[in-house]
Amino acid sequence: MIAMLAFQPGMPSAFEPFLMAISLIAVIMGITLGMLKAIRQRGRAARFQAGLIIGTGVVILHYMGQASYLVRGHVTFDPVFVVTSTLISLGLYGTAIVAAAERNRRLRRWGGPLLLLAIVVLHVGGMASLELEFDPRVELPSHSLPPESVAPIVGAVSFSLVVLALLGLRFSVAAAVRLRRDRQRLSELANIALEGLAICDDGVIVSANESLAKLSGFDRAELVGRSISALLPTFNGDDLAGLEEADATLVGANDIALPVRVLRNEVMLGRKRQIVFAFRDQRERLRTEARIRDLAFFDPLSGLPNRAHFSDMLARRAGSFRSEGRAFVLLLVNLDRFKGVNETLGHGVGDEVLRRAGSRLRACIREGGIAGRLGGDEFALLLTCDAAGAETAAADVVELLARPFLIDGCAIQVTASVGVALAPDDGVEPEELTRAAELARSRSKEEGGNTFRFFEPEMDEHARQRQLLEAELRHALGREQFEVHYQPQVDPRTGDFQGAEALVRWNHPDRGMVGPDRFIPLAEEIGLIGAIGEWVLQTACTEAASWPNGLSVAVNLSPRQLRDRNLVATVLAILEVTGLDAHRLELEITESAIIQDDEVTYGNMRELQAAGIRVSMDDFGTGYSSLSYLRRFPFDKLKIDRSFVQSIPEDPDSVAIVQAVATLGRKLGMTVRIEGVETGAQRFFAASECCDQIQGYLISRPVPADAIRTMFAGATATRLTA
Amino acid sequence: MSEMHLCRLLYRSEAAIPGSRQAVEAVVDGIVRSSSKSNATAGITGALVFASGTFIQALEGSARSVEATFERICCDLRHRQFQLLAVTTASSRVFSDWAMVRSRPGVDLARLCPASVSEPQLQQASAAEAIRIMRIALLREGAAGARPLASLPAYSMPC
C-alpha cells in the first residue's frame, strides 16, 4: 500500500475509506492472531501456519487496499501475477516466522529479511498486476480520501505492525530460551541432589532426577510420563499443604515398596506453575530407629524385653487389671549354678546358655504371655492365666531349663528356680507382685533349685523375721551380745581333760540364747562372719591362755574365713597378743569349706599348720567325705560326726563306719575324736576302738567360760592331790 | 561317607501328648514327618524309636547341625523326663539316613531302656555304646519297623 501510495498513475486518484478501514482491521487481526499462535504454540509446523496467517492478513490488506484504490478510469488485475505473488509471499511469510523462532542464531537472523522479501514480492506482484485505464466519465465519489492524507497513516500503521510482530516474536523466543536454560540448570542441580525429585504437570512426571531413578529402580526416561499416583499409590498430595512433609510408600520397579518421606511444593518454572515432589529414602532412618528402639527396650543377647520394658508391661497389665479384672501371673526365673558356668566355661558359653534359655522360655509362653530378661541370669514371665495355668507354665520352665545345653560339644546342665505370684491374690501392684515372686523364688532356691514355688503369706513373715534377725545381728557384736561357751574334750580311757571346743552363742535380749545354727549361715551370707569369727578366736584364745598348760582350745573356721588372704596374719597376731602357744590352738574346718578346690584355702591351711597350729576336719562323714581331701591335706585330727555315734553300739552299720574311719585316721597318723558321746557304752566303745578323744553330754554340755575354768581347775587339783 | 568333626548323640524321653492312643500316634506321625524333612536339610542322620510312650533317638551330623537340632528338640514340650544319654564325636556316620522305628503294641520298650543303660555305661558312653543301645532297641523292635531297616547299619551288624 505504501508502494501504491507512492504510485503516480498520472490521473486523479483516491481511496475508498470503508474498504481501507476493513483492510487495516484485517491486517491487524492477521498479525495479532499469527503472532499469538507463534508464541503460544511450539514446533515449526505451527510457526509456519502462524506465518501463513500473518501473510494472509497482509495479502488481504494489500488487495483490499488495491480494491479501495479509485481512479478516474478503470482498474483491472492480471490474475496470474496476483496468484503467483500471493503464493510466493505466503510461503515466504511462513518461512520468515519459522526462521525468526529458530534456536540457531544464524537461522534466526534470516527472519527479518525474509519477511521484508515477502512484503516486497507481494507488492511488486500486486503493482505489476495492476492495469489502469483513464475514463473521464468516471467521477471520484465525494467521500473518498485523497492519497496525501491516507499515505502517512497507512504507512505508519503497517510499519509499526511488522516491527512489533518481529519484536514480539523475538521476546517470546528469548523467554523460551530462558525457560529452557532455567530447566537445564534446575535439572543439573536436581541431579546432584541426594533426594529424589520429580517435577509434575497435572499429576504426570515431566522430569525426574538421578536420585529418584536410583531410588525407584526406573530409568529417568521411564519415569517421565508416569503418573505420580502410580509411584505413590497410598499418598494423597492434597493432604499436604505447602511445605509440609508426609510419610508414604514409594512403589518402584518390580513393585518394590520403599518407605519414603515426601515433600510437595509448588514452584514457578519459567512462567509455569508446576509441582515438585521430593522423596527422601527412609530405610536407613527407620533401621536406625528400630535399632535404637531395640536397644532401649530389648536385651540384645536374648532378644527378649529388658527390665525397663518388662516393668512397663507389668505396670500396664496391672493397670488393665483394674479396668478389666483379668487375672495374671508373674513368674521370676533364676538359673541355678549359672555363675559356675561363667567361671569354668567362660562368658562366651555363659552368654550362649542365656541366649538359649531365653528362647526356651519363649517356648513356655502361651498366647498373650511375655518373657523378659531382667539382667544376668534373671528372667521373668508375665502370663494371663489362672493358678492352674501358672503351675503348668512354671513346670514347663523348670522342665525345659533342666534339659542340657549342648554347646561346643559340651553338655551343660543348668537348672532353674522359679517363683510364682498370682494377681490379684498376691497383689496387683508391680512392686508387690515382684516381691512375692522373689520370695517364692528364694524358697525354690533354698530347697535346692530345679523347682518352682507359689508365693505364700508365710514366706513374707519368714522374710520379715529374717530381715529383723539380720538387722539385730549387725548390731550384736557392737552390743557385746555374743558369748563363747566351751565343751570339754577328754581321753575316753583315762577321763583326763585335753581341752575344749569353743562354741559361739548369741545372747539375744528378747529371744534368749540363740544357737550358732540359727545365725552363722546368715552371718556368712551377709558378710559378718569374718568379724564374728575373729572375735570368737580372740575370746577363745584369751580364755585358753588362762587354762592349765597342756589344755588346748578348738575353734571353728567358716569357709569364708578360710578364703580370707589375711587369715594367717590375723590368727598369728591373736596368738601373739593373747600369749597362747600355737600348739594349744586347734582350728576346725568343715568339708564344705574345702570342697571348692581353692588355692587360697589350701595355702592358708598349710601356713597355719606350719606355724604349729593343728588343723582338724570337722563333721567327717556327713558331706561328700571324699578321701581325696585327706590325701590332699595332712589334717591333724579327724572328727567323726555325732550322727554316727548316736546309734552306737546297737547299730552294726554305724559301728562298722566308726571303726573304719577310726582305723583310717590312725593309719594316716591323725588323732580321731568322736563327738556326741552321751552314754557310758559309747565311751567304752570309743576307748576300745582306740579313739583319742571324746566330746559330748556324757562329759559336759557346753558351759560358760567361768564354769569351764572351774572344771579344769578342779581336775588339776584332783590330779595334784592324787 | 567320611566327614570330619561329626557329632553323635543319644537321648531318651517320655511322650507328653494328651489324648487317645490314635491321637498320640497322629502327633508322633507329624513329628516324624517334620523331623525327616528338617533332618534331611540339615544333613542329620539317625534313628528314632517310639515305643510305649518312650522316645529314643540317635542323631549324627556336623556338630553345628546336631547342636541346633538338639536345641530345637529341647524346646519341645511334647516330651518330658528328658535324659541325654551320650554325646560323642565320630569320624564317620553309622546311620545312612534318618529312620523311624515303632514298637509292636504290647512290647514295652520303656522297660528296655533305661534298664539296659546302666549308670557306668552312661558315664563313659562312647559312640560304640550309643550304637549298642540303639541296636538293642532296634533289634527287639525291628520286626515292626515302619521303614526299611536295611538303612540302619546297626541292624545288619552282628550284635
Side-chain angles (χ1 to χ4, degrees):
Chain A
M1 182 169 300
I2 293 163
M4 195 132 86
L5 285 168
F7 184 57
Q8 297 297 323
M11 61 190 91
S13 63
F15 285 95
E16 208 287 313
F18 182 65
L19 274 178
M20 234 190 71
I22 289 179
S23 77
L24 274 175
I25 291 168
V27 77
I28 290 168
M29 281 181 65
I31 291 174
T32 310
L33 289 175
M35 288 320 291
L36 281 177
K37 188 176 170 68
I39 289 164
R40 282 192 187 155
Q41 293 186 350
R42 302 177 69 184
R44 289 185 178 130
R47 291 211 187 92
F48 192 81
Q49 286 166 16
L52 290 184
I53 293 169
I54 294 169
T56 309
V58 177
V59 167
I60 292 169
L61 167 77
H62 194 87
Y63 284 101
M64 282 185 80
Q66 285 195 357
S68 69
Y69 190 56
L70 304 171
V71 290
R72 295 200 62 179
H74 302 284
V75 181
T76 52
F77 297 97
D78 177 349
V80 176
F81 270 106
V82 172
V83 171
T84 312
S85 66
T86 301
L87 288 178
I88 292 174
S89 77
L90 280 179
L92 284 167
Y93 274 112
T95 313
I97 298 300
V98 170
E102 272 308 299
R103 204 172 292 184
N104 187 319
R105 185 173 295 194
R106 277 165 64 192
L107 285 177
R108 205 158 63 222
R109 276 198 201 124
W110 282 96
L114 278 172
L115 201 62
L116 205 63
L117 184 66
I119 294 168
V120 169
V121 166
L122 188 66
H123 280 78
V124 170
M127 296 316 283
S129 69
L130 195 63
E131 280 167 29
L132 302 174
E133 187 188 332
F134 182 69
D135 184 353
R137 287 168 298 172
V138 177
E139 288 288 336
L140 288 174
S142 60
H143 62 275
S144 65
L145 298 172
E148 299 78 34
S149 56
V150 171
I153 300 170
V154 172
V157 168
S158 302
F159 186 73
S160 319
L161 279 176
V162 171
V163 169
L164 277 177
L166 268 180
L167 279 176
L169 187 59
R170 287 302 298 270
F171 283 137
S172 152
V173 167
V177 167
R178 202 162 47 241
L179 182 65
R180 235 182 347 259
R181 207 182 299 133
D182 283 355
R183 278 214 182 129
Q184 179 78 29
R185 284 196 189 134
L186 202 65
S187 131
E188 280 165 7
L189 201 64
N191 275 339
I192 59 168
L194 287 174
E195 291 182 337
L197 293 171
I199 300 169
C200 291
D201 206 350
D202 245 4
V204 174
I205 296 173
V206 292
S207 175
N209 70 349
E210 233 4 273
S211 298
L212 184 60
K214 213 178 282 173
L215 192 63
S216 64
F218 291 118
D219 287 346
R220 285 176 68 194
E222 286 178 307
L223 282 167
V224 172
R226 203 171 278 272
S227 87
I228 193 76
S229 59
L231 274 188
L232 298 170
T234 58
F235 177 75
N236 184 1
D238 298 339
D239 295 347
L240 269 187
L243 286 165
E244 278 175 59
E245 295 182 23
D247 288 316
T249 303
L250 173 76
V251 177
N254 304 320
D255 286 334
I256 290 164
L258 303 173
V260 289
R261 190 125 180 106
V262 176
L263 187 144
R264 179 180 174 275
N265 199 11
E266 285 183 3
V267 292
M268 293 298 290
L269 278 178
R271 262 167 304 161
K272 262 186 127 174
R273 185 173 287 274
Q274 287 183 315
I275 295 166
V276 176
F277 286 93
F279 302 82
R280 200 173 298 151
D281 188 357
Q282 296 297 84
R283 281 173 298 182
E284 190 55 43
R285 187 179 68 87
L286 291 177
R287 265 198 294 270
T288 310
E289 275 179 10
R291 174 108 186 96
I292 290 169
R293 206 165 38 236
D294 274 6
L295 284 176
F297 294 122
F298 293 89
D299 162 45
L301 186 64
S302 62
L304 296 176
N306 61 14
R307 180 182 285 275
H309 190 30
F310 190 85
S311 300
D312 277 355
M313 290 189 288
L314 182 59
R316 220 172 300 148
R317 190 63 65 92
S320 72
F321 172 80
R322 283 186 286 268
S323 55
E324 294 165 26
R326 272 168 75 203
F328 64 98
V329 178
L330 175 67
L331 272 79
L332 288 183
V333 182
N334 189 243
L335 299 184
D336 308 317
R337 290 184 290 278
F338 178 70
K339 206 166 154 249
V341 173
N342 260 345
E343 281 169 1
T344 55
L345 300 167
H347 287 271
V349 174
D351 284 355
E352 185 58 24
V353 168
L354 291 174
R355 202 181 62 71
R356 293 193 194 179
S359 74
R360 288 190 189 180
L361 283 178
R362 258 194 225 113
C364 298
I365 44 182
R366 306 284 187 281
E367 196 189 339
I370 295 156
R373 181 174 169 228
L374 306 184
D377 57 345
E378 222 184 309
F379 295 88
L381 262 61
L382 179 59
L383 308 170
T384 307
C385 60
D386 56 4
E391 185 160 353
T392 308
D396 287 350
V397 170
V398 171
E399 163 78 28
L400 286 198
L401 293 181
R403 295 179 185 176
F405 292 92
L406 190 62
I407 298 170
D408 297 337
C410 198
I412 297 157
Q413 190 75 50
V414 181
T415 55
S417 296
V418 182
V420 187
L422 307 170
D425 299 10
D426 304 331
V428 173
E429 293 310 315
E431 308 82 63
E432 218 178 341
L433 271 180
T434 305
R435 185 182 141 74
E438 271 170 1
L439 287 171
R441 187 184 56 190
S442 299
R443 186 57 63 87
S444 298
K445 260 275 188 258
E446 280 163 26
E447 289 173 6
N450 195 24
T451 187
F452 66 91
R453 284 288 170 268
F454 277 67
F455 171 76
E456 284 160 29
E458 158 271 319
M459 293 177 184
D460 217 8
E461 184 51 36
H462 181 81
R464 242 188 285 278
Q465 283 296 332
R466 213 192 99 114
Q467 247 171 1
L468 192 66
L469 193 69
E470 185 183 320
E472 290 171 343
L473 187 59
R474 286 185 190 280
H475 294 113
L477 204 57
R479 291 175 185 161
E480 299 184 347
Q481 290 172 351
F482 290 117
E483 285 177 16
V484 178
H485 286 201
Y486 302 88
Q487 188 172 33
Q489 299 156 340
V490 301
D491 183 323
R493 288 156 297 215
T494 63
D496 290 344
F497 287 115
Q498 297 186 321
E501 181 179 1
L503 297 160
V504 66
R505 295 283 183 273
W506 180 10
N507 194 356
H508 192 279
D510 306 323
R511 299 169 202 256
M513 209 60 96
V514 181
D517 53 324
R518 292 220 14 229
F519 69 89
I520 290 295
L522 184 59
E524 275 260 352
E525 203 176 308
I526 63 177
L528 277 177
I529 196 70
I532 296 174
E534 194 177 327
W535 179 85
V536 170
L537 193 63
Q538 173 92 40
T539 309
C541 288
T542 309
E543 182 58 36
S546 72
W547 295 343
N549 208 1
L551 295 182
S552 62
V553 66
V555 181
N556 294 284
L557 283 187
S558 77
R560 195 183 267 252
Q561 278 175 292
L562 259 179
R563 286 199 298 274
D564 181 2
R565 288 180 188 276
N566 293 321
L567 175 69
V568 178
T570 307
V571 172
L572 294 181
I574 288 171
L575 289 179
E576 173 111 32
V577 170
T578 57
L580 186 73
D581 184 37
H583 294 95
R584 294 176 65 193
L585 177 63
E586 179 185 327
L587 293 175
E588 300 190 355
I589 290 159
T590 56
E591 205 176 12
S592 60
I594 49 170
I595 201 161
Q596 291 150 326
D597 189 10
D598 186 14
E599 259 322 301
V600 178
T601 301
Y602 279 99
N604 276 340
M605 283 158 63
R606 274 192 293 270
E607 280 186 56
L608 290 169
Q609 207 173 39
I613 297 161
R614 279 169 293 158
V615 178
S616 57
M617 179 174 272
D618 207 355
D619 303 336
F620 188 77
T622 52
Y624 288 84
S625 302
S626 169
L627 298 180
S628 65
Y629 300 137
L630 299 182
R631 201 177 58 180
R632 176 117 197 240
F633 185 79
F635 286 96
D636 296 289
K637 191 182 282 183
L638 208 57
K639 287 175 69 179
I640 301 174
D641 190 66
R642 64 185 71 239
S643 57
F644 296 107
V645 183
Q646 271 162 8
S647 39
I648 282 174
E650 309 85 49
D651 177 32
D653 289 348
S654 298
V655 168
I657 289 168
V658 174
Q659 280 174 334
V661 175
T663 309
L664 178 76
R666 255 198 328 277
K667 294 269 185 199
L668 289 170
M670 295 181 224
T671 309
V672 176
R673 183 201 300 165
I674 296 184
E675 291 184 300
V677 174
E678 290 176 6
T679 65
Q682 287 166 351
R683 177 181 169 176
F684 179 76
F685 174 81
S688 64
E689 291 303 322
C690 303
C691 285
D692 308 281
Q693 267 184 359
I694 55 168
Q695 180 181 335
Y697 282 11
L698 180 69
I699 314 301
S700 166
R701 55 177 60 240
V703 293
D706 49 355
I708 196 88
R709 228 175 290 147
T710 312
M711 209 183 285
F712 285 158
T716 315
T718 313
R719 209 162 28 187
L720 283 176
T721 53
Chain B
M1 270 302 262
S2 176
E3 288 169 76
M4 289 303 287
H5 308 303
L6 273 179
C7 178
R8 185 180 300 130
L9 71 76
L10 184 72
Y11 75 86
R12 71 180 291 288
S13 61
E14 302 293 322
I17 306 163
S20 66
R21 196 184 162 82
Q22 281 79 11
V24 173
E25 293 286 323
V27 172
V28 173
D29 281 341
I31 293 172
V32 170
R33 264 197 304 280
S34 61
S35 323
S36 297
K37 216 166 127 189
S38 54
N39 287 347
T41 315
I44 298 265
T45 55
L48 172 68
V49 177
F50 179 65
S52 311
T54 302
F55 290 108
I56 304 170
Q57 179 159 223
L59 296 171
E60 60 181 12
S62 73
R64 180 191 284 260
S65 50
V66 167
E67 278 182 23
T69 303
F70 182 69
E71 185 58 32
R72 203 173 55 238
I73 291 167
C74 283
C75 286
D76 201 324
L77 283 162
R78 291 175 298 186
H79 58 167
R80 302 218 168 225
Q81 286 164 276
F82 193 94
Q83 265 184 292
L84 180 61
L85 303 175
V87 189
T88 57
T89 53
S91 53
S92 65
R93 291 179 191 259
V94 293
F95 300 100
S96 58
D97 65 7
W98 192 82
M100 165 77 189
V101 180
R102 291 214 184 175
S103 73
R104 281 186 304 268
V107 176
D108 190 3
L109 191 69
R111 244 186 298 139
L112 185 126
C113 204
S116 64
V117 187
S118 65
E119 276 304 313
Q121 283 175 330
L122 281 184
Q123 303 244 317
Q124 36 179 289
S126 61
E129 196 59 35
I131 298 161
R132 198 190 69 78
I133 295 163
M134 284 306 288
R135 190 182 298 143
I136 292 167
L138 296 175
L139 274 178
R140 295 260 180 98
E141 306 302 318
R147 301 268 172 100
L149 281 171
S151 62
L152 295 175
Y155 180 69
S156 54
M157 274 192 275
C159 206

